[in-house]
Amino acid sequence: MRHLEIERYKIKIEGVVQGVGFRPFVYSIAKKHDIKGFVKNSSEGVFIEAEGTKESLQKFLLEFKTSLPPLAKIDKISLENIEIKGSCDFKIEKSTHSDTKYASISPDIAICEDCLRELRDKNDRRYGYYLINCTNCGPRYTIVERVPYDRKNTSMKRFRMCNECEKEYEDPSDRRYHAQPISCHKCGPLVKFYKTYKKEILASNEEAIKLCAKSIKRGNIVAVKGLGGFHIVCSATSPKSVKLLRKRKNRPTKPFAVMFKSIEEIKKVAILTEKDEELILSKEKPIVIVKKKEPHKFRKRELPITSFVAPAIDRIGVFLPYTPLHHLLFEYIECPIVATSANLSNEPIIRDIDELCQKLDNVADYVLDFNRDIINACDDSVVQAVNNKKETLRLARGYAPRYQKLPFKLKDKVLCVGANQKATITLAYEDILVTSPHIGDLGSIESMEYFERTIESFKRFYDFEPNIIVCDKHPSYETTKWAKEYQNSHSETKLFQVQHHYAHILSCMAEFDINEKVLGFSFDGTGYGDDGTIWGGEVFECDTKSYERIYHFKDIKLIGANRAIKEPKRVALAMLFEEYGLKDTLKLSNPTVKSFTKIQIKNLYTIWKNTTLKTSSLGRVFDGVASLCDILQVSNYEGESGLILESFYDGSIKDSFEFDIKDKEIAFKDLVQKSLAIMKENLNIKDKKRAVSTMFLNTLTKIILRISKESKLDTVVLSGGVFQNKTLLEMATNELEKAGKKVYFQQNTPINDGGISLGQAWWAVKNLDSLS
């Protein structure tokens, strides 16, 4: 009878379960509940064979489902009752390989509290060790070459563990059991401080960190290696240093992210909500966009960051140290530091010191480097809090690769290559979607090489060879060109294209697994439309199978194509031509008109009259409004007009512009005339800008609300880069919910073009039957 009480289960665990302390966790609870058998990694996930009484097995299963290690995530558990083997112990066995690879690679995670405690403990052997880590923190994705995630498959393979590290690595009861990047002062990579242009070593290890801190305090600009690439760093309190960095990087106004020693330091310069704090302190340690304190609210003894960090806007990107090296650096620096990605314009983040010294020797004076190679580059994630929810603006370190389980298995392998800006890729295979970290804007040879390298890495991770490719409809997108070239060289591969703005809505539907018909507002800067024009202010009724463009903003003629995107004054001039014609436009004394000569206006009018290039883009309307009220005439970075307009928003102003919705077209009836009238009023310039900006955002909210109320659909989706505007998204969401609508916007996936590849994938998996 006693024998009959014993059972043995074969358990397969899929999800983020490798390199996150999952096996020692299973080992410890197996010992606790007197379970016999083994646990091991494979390229498909984690396999367990567990033998014990039925009662002990139930307790064992319950505990490992409900008390996971911090970084582990279970997507699927398969359980099979098998023959009893009479095992005498529970063991952790060596990894095995198979022909298929389904195991998830964990994102890189900020240093944990246990490691941070050891880093600061003078009695600990890793005291002051700049690359301290354990199974609960440190590098993962950025150091792995292939799965399974074993040391021999990472960039740590060339560092042989010392006896003490090896003992920890092999002890299942130790926090560092099979922590693949494990090392210490004796056996790990070295930190060195270089003079950039000579690549001359000035100091090593602790002295390197001290000298780096001293250089920053002296006003120098330093490149500091992080988890997924280098940061360019300088003091955030020094106007001289920040202005010098702007000059060297040719980045006149685009905001810099700032790293602070603690959240208490952040609170000195920013107004934080509870959700802001939660995001800042989370284990991922993303860059969080928060509201700046007004300058007059600083205490006398506080040293605020210089206004040159984020000029002309009321927001700032803040984050905390997330590597041990960052924490050690702050032991010697009192001030917050600018920490911006080390790259040239339109190029990916630099991950190698040789490339950095070659490309940025005129930007960084010094380099703080360590010789653990970064295999896969990965930028910092960017998020913000909207109505007490997380909105993702950049999916990267800490959050990606991102995995989403499907309720069914696919027979095809689908590669979705996303858009041209903020590019990501998404793989769909078996019962999983995998979205890559942020790749970036594909505006250079180097960025395309990074895009292709990411694809090759993911194909290698999962033995993945696509038989279906999905791309955007824009013929000039580099991703579209790549997809067509790939198909030409792989004739058996099928190619499909998904409209850009429909993919925005689909990406939100994918995140929340929405399968019903929705009313989708897809607002962004640009995207190829079905009619050959540039879309960007679209309202759809759609499901996962099809879409109907029920409304769009009235088209604006683009004067000079891409130049109009970079010069808001050209968009505003087109709006003035539409409203007044040439003669009356020339008579205006508006800031837009004053930014051109009369000859230029006449020439541009001819171009405007003859152009066939039109756009419904709401992003361009933002540009036009910014120019009309003299907020911005020439843009220095994408979305600048929206950020500055938002900084002028005043909730006490309830006025709005009149608008008209008919024949599928949304038109502002008096936006131009009223804006010009307000700019003529006897008010100070700040109040004029505040009035126009606020009325414009109020109007957009009313447009969204009116269309939603008139629709029979109860589910509303808000997606696209325009909804990075926190004020607009909060107002629209609040008003829609008051009206009884179910409102969705992306939280864990990018709401901008970074989400396009996921939207393409969702279309593919929902339409595979018709594709095959």
Side-chain angles (χ1 to χ4, degrees):
M1 291 293 291
R2 180 69 180 164
H3 176 72
L4 294 176
E5 293 177 2
I6 302 297
E7 293 186 349
R8 189 178 183 95
Y9 295 154
K10 183 178 181 180
I11 308 164
K12 180 182 175 183
I13 314 293
E14 297 174 56
V16 182
V17 287
Q18 293 190 14
V20 293
F22 191 77
R23 286 177 302 163
F25 162 72
V26 171
Y27 175 88
S28 65
I29 61 173
K31 289 287 189 181
K32 176 180 174 181
H33 296 292
D34 196 28
I35 301 295
K36 315 300 182 187
F38 64 85
V39 59
K40 66 179 178 181
N41 275 346
S42 89
S43 47
E44 295 181 61
V46 169
F47 281 97
I48 303 167
E49 286 197 15
E51 188 173 301
T53 66
K54 193 167 186 177
E55 183 182 1
S56 62
L57 283 167
Q58 286 176 344
K59 289 179 180 177
F60 167 74
L61 288 169
L62 179 65
E63 187 162 349
F64 92 65
K65 287 179 185 176
T66 56
S67 305
L68 291 173
L71 306 186
K73 179 178 178 289
I74 293 176
D75 289 325
K76 185 178 179 181
I77 299 175
S78 304
L79 190 145
E80 180 186 352
N81 205 313
I82 61 173
E83 185 182 347
I84 297 166
K85 296 181 181 178
S87 300
C88 299
D89 200 0
F90 193 89
K91 298 178 180 179
I92 299 178
E93 294 191 350
K94 288 185 178 180
S95 301
T96 57
H97 301 266
S98 70
D99 294 334
T100 53
K101 297 182 181 179
Y102 305 139
S104 302
I105 299 168
S106 170
D108 299 55
I109 294 293
I111 183 172
C112 68
E113 289 302 317
D114 289 329
C115 284
L116 197 53
R117 203 159 32 246
E118 292 170 352
L119 182 75
R120 293 167 173 165
D121 182 358
K122 292 184 178 180
N123 298 315
D124 192 276
R125 75 183 191 90
R126 287 190 176 85
Y127 169 68
Y129 181 53
Y130 33 81
L131 295 180
I132 190 171
N133 67 84
C134 69
T135 53
N136 296 328
C137 68
R140 298 289 191 282
Y141 168 75
T142 55
I143 63 168
V144 68
E145 294 176 336
R146 60 186 61 85
V147 295
Y149 177 67
D150 289 333
R151 193 178 180 96
K152 65 183 179 181
N153 295 331
T154 74
S155 58
M156 285 299 293
K157 62 188 174 186
R158 67 189 180 96
F159 298 97
R160 185 174 178 178
M161 286 178 273
C162 66
N163 291 336
E164 290 171 289
C165 282
E166 192 167 21
K167 185 179 177 183
E168 293 169 334
Y169 183 83
E170 294 179 350
D171 181 359
S173 65
D174 195 280
R175 197 174 88 252
R176 292 188 171 87
Y177 176 76
H178 280 210
Q180 307 306 337
I182 187 175
S183 59
C184 68
H185 290 290
K186 290 181 184 177
C187 62
L190 300 175
V191 168
K192 293 180 180 179
F193 189 62
Y194 297 86
K195 181 69 179 171
T196 310
Y197 69 93
K198 292 183 179 179
K199 206 183 168 185
E200 171 191 354
I201 299 173
L202 302 177
S204 298
N205 300 330
E206 185 181 1
E207 285 305 311
I209 298 168
K210 286 182 179 178
L211 193 54
C212 177
K214 190 179 290 185
S215 299
I216 293 169
K217 286 195 284 188
R218 286 177 176 171
N220 291 302
I221 297 168
V222 182
V224 177
K225 195 172 188 177
L227 281 175
F230 282 89
H231 283 126
I232 299 296
V233 169
C234 72
S235 168
T237 61
S238 168
K240 185 178 178 182
S241 296
V242 178
K243 283 196 286 185
L244 180 62
L245 177 56
R246 289 201 175 282
K247 183 179 178 182
R248 289 182 180 180
K249 278 208 80 178
N250 190 26
R251 188 168 163 173
T253 57
K254 190 175 181 179
F256 287 129
V258 181
M259 183 181 286
F260 293 78
K261 184 174 184 176
S262 66
I263 195 159
E264 288 72 29
E265 293 298 308
I266 294 175
K267 287 178 179 178
K268 291 179 181 178
V269 300
I271 303 165
L272 304 183
T273 64
E274 282 187 25
K275 189 64 178 180
D276 290 333
E277 288 196 41
E278 178 190 319
L279 292 170
I280 292 166
L281 294 169
S282 67
K283 65 181 186 298
E284 293 84 5
K285 299 291 186 295
I287 295 171
V288 183
I289 310 298
V290 296
K291 194 170 180 66
K292 285 193 290 191
K293 280 186 179 178
E294 294 177 29
H296 67 272
K297 292 184 179 178
F298 289 116
R299 295 175 185 169
K300 289 182 179 179
R301 292 187 180 181
E302 287 177 355
L303 186 62
I305 56 172
T306 171
S307 61
F308 294 104
V309 164
I313 61 174
D314 64 346
R315 308 294 158 104
I316 182 172
V318 302
F319 61 141
L320 293 173
Y322 58 83
T323 71
L325 189 57
H326 292 145
H327 281 277
L328 290 171
L329 199 55
F330 272 108
E331 293 294 318
Y332 307 105
I333 299 177
E334 296 78 26
C335 65
I337 55 175
V338 165
T340 188
S341 301
N343 65 324
L344 293 174
S345 179
N346 287 324
E347 290 191 15
I349 188 170
I350 293 173
R351 59 197 172 112
D352 173 77
I353 187 171
D354 292 330
E355 184 185 0
L356 187 132
C357 290
Q358 177 191 346
K359 291 184 174 179
L360 297 182
D361 65 323
N362 62 335
V363 174
D365 302 306
Y366 301 97
V367 185
L368 186 65
D369 183 41
F370 50 84
N371 59 331
R372 182 183 70 205
D373 292 338
I374 297 171
I375 305 296
N376 306 300
C378 192
D379 223 316
D380 295 313
S381 290
V382 182
V383 301
Q384 65 180 353
V386 176
N387 284 346
N388 207 34
K389 296 173 182 174
K390 179 180 77 175
E391 180 188 23
T392 298
L393 309 183
R394 186 198 289 163
L395 184 76
R397 175 186 54 77
Y399 300 116
R402 179 186 181 271
Y403 301 88
Q404 182 169 332
K405 207 70 174 172
L406 298 171
F408 50 84
K409 283 203 172 187
L410 307 172
K411 62 181 180 180
D412 296 291
K413 291 186 175 181
V414 186
L415 170 62
C416 304
V417 295
N420 216 59
Q421 290 183 300
K422 300 177 177 62
T424 60
I425 62 168
T426 296
L427 277 59
Y429 67 98
E430 287 293 315
D431 56 353
I432 196 167
L433 300 178
V434 187
T435 301
S436 75
H438 169 85
I439 296 169
D441 297 349
L442 304 181
S444 66
I445 293 171
E446 289 79 7
S447 62
M448 275 307 296
E449 287 174 349
Y450 178 31
F451 167 77
E452 291 174 352
R453 189 167 68 242
T454 303
I455 290 175
E456 290 305 312
S457 294
F458 275 70
K459 285 167 67 176
R460 187 173 64 249
F461 292 158
Y462 304 109
D463 282 342
F464 181 94
E465 200 60 49
N467 63 312
I468 291 177
I469 304 278
V470 186
C471 68
D472 196 273
K473 285 187 174 182
H474 202 306
S476 298
Y477 275 8
E478 296 301 327
T479 49
T480 306
K481 294 176 188 175
W482 182 90
K484 289 182 176 179
E485 287 173 10
Y486 187 94
Q487 189 200 28
N488 288 337
S489 59
H490 298 75
S491 57
E492 72 286 357
T493 304
K494 295 177 182 177
L495 176 64
F496 298 92
Q497 295 177 276
V498 178
Q499 201 282 322
H500 185 95
H501 301 94
Y502 178 41
H504 270 306
I505 303 301
L506 286 167
S507 63
C508 187
M509 294 174 76
E511 179 174 334
F512 294 99
D513 194 14
I514 301 170
N515 294 293
E516 63 191 281
K517 197 168 190 178
V518 305
L519 179 67
F521 293 85
S522 188
F523 294 166
D524 67 0
T526 186
Y528 192 75
D530 291 336
D531 58 1
T533 65
I534 304 301
W535 288 5
E538 316 310 310
V539 186
F540 295 127
E541 284 187 355
C542 59
D543 54 24
T544 56
K545 302 288 184 181
S546 63
Y547 63 96
E548 181 187 356
R549 186 193 191 203
I550 60 168
Y551 296 111
H552 63 87
F553 280 91
K554 183 179 178 181
D555 287 333
I556 298 171
K557 287 185 176 183
L558 289 175
I559 304 175
N562 285 338
R563 283 196 68 178
I565 295 173
K566 295 181 179 180
E567 297 180 20
K569 62 184 182 180
R570 285 174 173 252
V571 178
L573 192 62
M575 293 165 75
L576 292 172
F577 287 155
E578 182 71 35
E579 187 78 21
Y580 297 107
L582 176 61
K583 286 185 181 179
D584 288 341
T585 296
L586 285 168
K587 295 175 185 177
L588 297 171
S589 59
N590 180 264
T592 299
V593 176
K594 289 180 179 178
S595 66
F596 297 100
T597 66
K598 285 190 176 181
I599 296 295
Q600 286 175 326
I601 291 174
K602 289 175 182 178
N603 290 338
L604 291 172
Y605 180 77
T606 302
I607 295 171
W608 172 81
K609 205 166 185 183
N610 295 324
T611 188
T612 58
L613 184 60
K614 298 185 291 184
T615 183
S616 60
S617 165
L618 186 55
R620 299 290 75 80
V621 181
F622 269 87
D623 289 344
V625 172
S627 170
L628 290 173
C629 61
D630 205 21
I631 280 176
L632 189 71
Q633 301 300 346
V634 177
S635 181
N636 289 294
Y637 61 90
E638 184 197 5
E640 184 175 12
S641 60
L643 276 170
I644 302 177
L645 279 169
E646 186 179 17
S647 70
F648 280 103
Y649 185 80
D650 184 343
S652 67
I653 299 173
K654 304 301 178 184
D655 294 337
S656 59
F657 298 109
E658 291 184 17
F659 61 89
D660 195 19
I661 303 175
K662 65 179 180 181
D663 300 326
K664 294 191 172 185
E665 191 175 78
I666 306 164
F668 295 97
K669 291 175 70 176
D670 63 352
L671 183 149
V672 172
Q673 290 182 7
K674 267 196 176 178
S675 294
L676 297 184
I678 289 168
M679 294 304 291
K680 280 184 176 180
E681 286 181 18
N682 188 24
L683 299 169
N684 67 57
I685 188 64
K686 193 171 181 180
D687 286 338
K688 294 177 182 179
K689 293 177 180 180
R690 186 180 289 119
V692 175
S693 301
T694 303
M695 289 174 68
F696 177 57
L697 291 175
N698 287 347
T699 306
L700 293 180
T701 304
K702 288 187 175 183
I703 289 170
I704 293 169
L705 184 61
R706 177 173 153 185
I707 292 173
S708 299
K709 281 183 173 180
E710 291 175 356
S711 173
K712 294 177 181 178
L713 298 172
D714 291 326
T715 301
V716 179
V717 169
L718 308 174
S719 189
V722 164
F723 287 111
Q724 293 175 132
N725 188 303
K726 178 176 176 175
T727 303
L728 174 61
L729 185 55
E730 285 185 335
M731 289 195 302
T733 302
N734 290 337
E735 291 301 317
L736 289 169
E737 286 177 346
K738 285 180 190 174
K741 299 291 183 178
K742 290 184 290 184
V743 189
Y744 294 91
F745 63 86
Q746 282 116 298
Q747 297 173 35
N748 298 312
T749 57
I751 200 165
N752 51 41
D753 280 9
I756 291 292
S757 69
L758 178 60
Q760 292 168 348
W762 198 242
W763 176 83
V765 301
K766 293 294 183 178
N767 291 274
L768 278 178
D769 289 343
S770 59
L771 302 187
S772 300

